[in-house]
Amino acid sequence: MGLNGNGIQHNTVKGIIYKSKQKSRRQRWNVRPSEMSINTLNPIRAIVDGMKLTPNPEKPMIALSIGDPTVFGNLPTDEKVLQALKDAIDSHKYNGYAPSVGYQKSRDVVANFYSCPEAPLEAEDVVLTSGCSQAIDLSITVLCNPGDNILIPCPGFSLYKTLAVSLGVQVKLYNLLPEKSWEIDLQHMESLIDDRTTCLIINNPSNPCGSVYSKEHLKNVLSVASKNCIPILADEIYGDMVFPGCKYQSMASLSSDVPILACGGLAKRWLVPGWRMGWILIHDRNQIFGKEIRQGLVKLSQRILGACTIVQGAIESILNDTPQEFYHRTINFLKSNSEICFSELSTVPGLTPVLPAGAMYLMVGIEMEHFPEFQNDVQFTERLVTEQSVFCLPATAFEYPNYFRIVVTVPEEMMVEACARIREFCQHHYRPCSQDSNELDQ
């Protein structure tokens, strides 16, 4: 090893001389987390982990906070779905790697299942993913660069912000209107669009609201997107999970010119969130996405071979052989529980529930002026756990303070009991405003 006058170090290995610039040696270890990891934050975890959740030992805990329909065991998936997975395992055909976007046959099955005359699909329009979450991740990543911004609903699913911010993408929140069953404030949404807006996220049916948008409202949303040339990411994981008397309409079936990446999966409708099977349906209008967005999704899918091969092998039977009665039974249960919850809480002083039309959730407004002991929804729901052992998710987790979200997948008797405890809690802490007292005195 030697050093010449130019500061070039000569290293000899097996008689071969390698030239390298002399480097200053690190004096100590300094391993730091990446900017991306520092910028990654799940708002739900941040809020829940900071709450003091000590249930009342005299009352069994009822968790109305978890968006997993399998937790209580009262909503099993259909036997046909289970058999499809068993058959895929027993075939020994799906133990290896699949193409990063999924098996051709599996993509073809998904395309056929969701294709309609207004929005036709082929296998090439489908990317299979590890759950709907990865579908959303890939869609945001392919459309956005650092410094761009996306529009997301408020209240809305917290993952959108988690994924965007970690990529250096700004999030702008457009308002939903509880007095109009959580319709989008279209004027507010459009006012947020600028020349760095690259994506509009529409979640229908909605988590956390349980709302289902009318055909007319969706057309109005498409109008705004078309006028401003903004593509749509349609989060439709709860698609078709709508209550009787209401109709679900996919965004793509109504679009004539707005390109759409529709994200969905097996998790909720088939009640198997742990199986991690999702998809992106590429609805390109007038070849606006073209080859580049498609190729971008393929390249991004190659970072991690995401979709489970065994579930891919079962998906044909899952989609085509699951009986309609299974879907009807699930929906009827969710509707019944939603109605019980809404009816019970509608007469509780200080609460304003909003009746859902689909999905698995119900939002409840808290008239905080009647609960002066609590500064916000987080304190309210925290004390509800302490006194009544009922845990509802404070809507601050969805950037929407002074509401809380109830998951309606619990067994009916637990829902009835939870509502009774919430009533008792509110009756204990409710205080009439001075104006209310004056009216009572008169």
Side-chain angles (χ1 to χ4, degrees):
M1 185 188 297
L3 193 68
N4 66 17
N6 296 322
I8 302 294
Q9 186 172 305
H10 293 249
N11 297 316
T12 304
V13 180
K14 294 184 179 180
I16 302 172
I17 297 175
Y18 296 92
K19 293 181 180 180
S20 61
K21 286 232 176 191
Q22 190 175 24
K23 302 173 188 173
S24 60
R25 187 172 66 83
R26 289 181 181 172
Q27 299 300 313
R28 63 170 74 99
W29 288 94
N30 185 26
V31 183
R32 306 293 302 158
S34 68
E35 290 291 326
M36 184 176 184
S37 69
I38 292 170
N39 291 334
T40 300
L41 176 71
N42 184 326
I44 293 179
R45 287 264 54 89
I47 289 167
V48 172
D49 290 349
M51 295 175 74
K52 299 182 183 71
L53 300 176
T54 309
N56 182 341
E58 296 180 4
K59 298 187 177 186
M61 185 70 172
I62 301 177
L64 303 178
S65 57
I66 307 167
D68 180 348
T70 71
V71 167
F72 296 96
N74 59 313
L75 289 173
T77 191
D78 192 76
E79 277 299 321
K80 293 269 189 183
V81 176
L82 296 175
Q83 191 58 49
L85 195 71
K86 293 172 186 174
D87 291 344
I89 293 170
D90 292 341
S91 74
H92 302 288
K93 293 178 181 177
Y94 306 106
N95 296 330
Y97 292 122
S100 65
V101 292
Y103 289 120
Q104 179 76 13
K105 183 181 178 184
S106 303
R107 294 165 69 201
D108 193 48
V109 166
V110 173
N112 288 336
F113 189 80
Y114 286 101
S115 188
C116 64
E118 302 81 12
L121 289 165
E122 297 179 356
E124 289 66 32
D125 303 316
V126 177
V127 176
L128 298 182
T129 60
S130 177
C132 188
S133 295
Q134 194 199 14
I136 295 167
D137 186 16
L138 295 184
S139 298
I140 292 174
T141 306
V142 81
L143 293 173
C144 304
N145 286 309
D148 289 339
N149 64 74
I150 63 172
L151 274 51
I152 69 173
C154 180
F157 184 38
S158 60
L159 184 68
Y160 309 140
K161 183 176 181 178
T162 299
L163 296 173
V165 172
S166 72
L167 293 167
V169 175
Q170 182 189 0
V171 163
K172 294 184 177 182
L173 307 174
Y174 63 81
N175 292 331
L176 305 184
L177 304 170
E179 68 275 13
K180 293 187 175 181
S181 300
W182 302 109
E183 281 193 349
I184 297 167
D185 183 337
L186 295 171
Q187 190 173 358
H188 180 242
M189 183 177 75
E190 187 165 16
S191 74
L192 299 174
I193 297 172
D194 62 23
D195 59 356
R196 295 300 300 270
T197 304
T198 53
C199 175
L200 168 60
I201 296 184
I202 304 295
N203 179 206
N204 180 52
S206 161
N207 173 15
C209 302
S211 54
V212 180
Y213 294 145
S214 68
K215 182 176 181 178
E216 197 59 40
H217 189 57
L218 290 174
K219 282 185 171 182
N220 291 335
V221 173
L222 285 163
S223 224
V224 172
S226 175
K227 176 183 169 186
N228 293 277
C229 300
I230 307 293
I232 287 177
L233 190 171
D235 179 358
E236 298 178 336
I237 187 64
Y238 296 98
D240 291 309
M241 291 186 74
V242 299
F243 301 158
C246 201
K247 182 171 172 53
Y248 164 71
Q249 196 93 36
S250 72
M251 183 69 79
S253 68
L254 300 173
S255 174
S256 58
D257 63 331
V258 178
I260 293 168
L261 297 179
C263 299
L266 293 181
K268 302 303 166 71
R269 194 180 182 204
W270 285 269
L271 305 175
V272 286
W275 289 13
R276 310 313 301 142
M277 174 55 64
W279 45 74
I280 302 170
L281 309 180
I282 305 168
H283 295 279
D284 198 1
R285 294 291 180 263
N286 306 324
Q287 296 302 304
I288 293 168
F289 283 150
K291 289 183 179 179
E292 290 186 329
I293 294 297
R294 291 173 182 270
Q295 289 171 350
L297 286 170
V298 172
K299 288 177 181 178
L300 289 170
S301 74
Q302 291 167 348
R303 296 175 67 197
I304 298 173
L305 300 181
C308 174
T309 54
I310 294 170
V311 184
Q312 288 188 57
I315 202 163
E316 180 174 15
S317 181
I318 291 173
L319 295 186
N320 295 335
D321 299 338
T322 302
Q324 289 299 313
E325 175 53 33
F326 165 74
Y327 303 128
H328 295 326
R329 190 165 58 247
T330 304
I331 289 298
N332 288 336
F333 173 82
L334 296 175
K335 181 176 189 285
S336 172
N337 250 13
S338 296
E339 289 175 343
I340 289 169
C341 184
F342 177 80
S343 174
E344 289 296 320
L345 298 187
S346 289
T347 57
V348 173
L351 297 186
T352 310
V354 183
L355 184 66
M360 315 183 319
Y361 311 101
L362 180 146
M363 287 279 276
V364 182
I366 313 167
E367 297 168 16
M368 295 304 302
E369 67 273 16
H370 289 296
F371 299 98
E373 288 177 72
F374 313 117
Q375 291 182 4
N376 51 45
D377 55 307
V378 176
Q379 287 188 4
F380 181 97
T381 52
E382 190 176 68
R383 187 79 72 83
L384 182 58
V385 172
T386 304
E387 295 183 11
Q388 297 291 341
S389 297
V390 174
F391 185 25
C392 304
L393 198 61
T396 291
F398 307 108
E399 315 251 9
Y400 207 77
N402 302 335
Y403 275 75
F404 59 87
R405 185 192 74 174
I406 288 177
V407 178
V408 298
T409 56
V410 301
E412 182 180 313
E413 61 274 15
M414 290 180 73
M415 179 60 74
V416 171
E417 172 64 19
C419 289
R421 293 190 201 174
I422 293 171
R423 176 184 296 276
E424 182 181 325
F425 176 82
C426 289
Q427 286 173 338
H428 179 69
H429 293 284
Y430 181 89
R431 299 291 180 270
C433 295
S434 54
Q435 184 180 353
D436 298 339
S437 300
N438 293 337
E439 288 174 359
L440 288 172
D441 293 340
Q442 292 170 5

